[in-house]
Amino acid sequence: MFKLQNIRYKNILNIDYLEVGSEKITAISGPSGGGKTTLLRLLINFISPDSGKIFYKDKPLEKYRPEVIREKIKMLGQQPIMFGETIQEEFKIAAEFANFNGHDREDYKELLKIVRLDKRLNDKSSELSGGEKQRLALARLLLLKPEVLLLDEPTASLDKDNQKHILAFLAEYANNNGSKIIMVTHSPDLTKGIAQNQIIIAKGRYQEGAVIND
């Protein structure tokens, strides 16, 4: 899905060639500060490389209109930003920003169940814990049904039980919806059971990739 050629970004990334995202779930791991988050930000065109080319579906990423990229690719950062006052407003604002229609309160409630967020729609999003905000932000993205989900440490703030639940759900989601998931994780062991491709980024370079049989 993505192809990177001769990518250089400041002193953070130096990737000669990398294909990523063709599998249902790709896990990216490696030491802190190695360039994993920067790679995700390049894939969604939040930042541009100093040199080199990034292709999405064999078309240069910069040739896509920004609104097309926003529709097809969504990213969940480590510290998601809340936009509204209530949980329901979080969903509505995200949908309005993406011009996404055909949703209602029952859709929101179902997504909250999926991410195990036991809250009411009129609860204030600003009062959620860090892990709860992360789960709400994931639910908010799932509402929009993107082609590609870029997830930066999506389970970092969760306990082990919720980690397992969210990862199992993401595996099911990728299988059933045709979406591709590219996920940064601090430990490849977390995603060993669900990722078909494991990539290591260290010191700004692609170190290793292993395709895992289903």
Side-chain angles (χ1 to χ4, degrees), residues 84-103:
E85 182 176 345
T86 66
I87 288 175
Q88 179 166 317
E89 286 180 359
E90 296 295 337
F91 285 115
K92 292 183 68 175
I93 290 171
E96 289 169 2
F97 181 74
N99 292 318
F100 184 81
N101 301 310
H103 52 84

Side-chain angles (χ1 to χ4, degrees), residues 83-203:
F83 302 115
E85 182 176 345
T86 66
I87 288 175
Q88 179 166 317
E89 286 180 359
E90 296 295 337
F91 285 115
K92 292 183 68 175
I93 290 171
E96 289 169 2
F97 181 74
N99 292 318
F100 184 81
N101 301 310
H103 52 84
D104 57 28
R105 287 173 57 90
E106 294 307 311
D107 295 320
Y108 306 156
K109 291 177 181 178
E110 182 60 28
L111 285 167
L112 293 181
K113 289 180 183 178
I114 287 171
V115 299
R116 285 188 174 179
L117 189 55
D118 186 18
K119 299 291 181 178
R120 298 170 299 177
L121 290 177
N122 61 350
D123 285 345
K124 292 186 177 181
S125 54
S126 61
E127 296 179 355
L128 300 177
S129 68
E132 289 171 339
K133 287 180 180 178
Q134 199 169 36
R135 279 179 279 169
L136 175 56
L138 176 59
R140 196 171 60 187
L141 291 188
L142 293 174
L143 174 72
L144 306 179
K145 301 178 181 178
E147 288 184 0
V148 183
L149 272 169
L150 305 176
L151 308 178
D152 194 358
E153 300 276 11
T155 62
S157 301
L158 307 181
D159 58 41
K160 288 186 178 180
D161 184 53
N162 279 316
Q163 281 183 350
K164 290 179 181 179
H165 172 77
I166 292 297
L167 290 174
F169 166 73
L170 289 173
E172 181 181 0
Y173 180 84
N175 281 324
N176 294 339
N177 293 276
S179 298
K180 307 295 185 181
I181 296 174
I182 302 174
M183 180 191 314
V184 166
T185 175
H186 66 278
S187 171
D189 290 338
L190 282 175
T191 54
K192 188 178 293 183
I194 67 166
Q196 293 78 43
N197 193 18
Q198 297 271 8
I199 289 173
I200 296 174
I201 299 292
K203 296 182 180 180

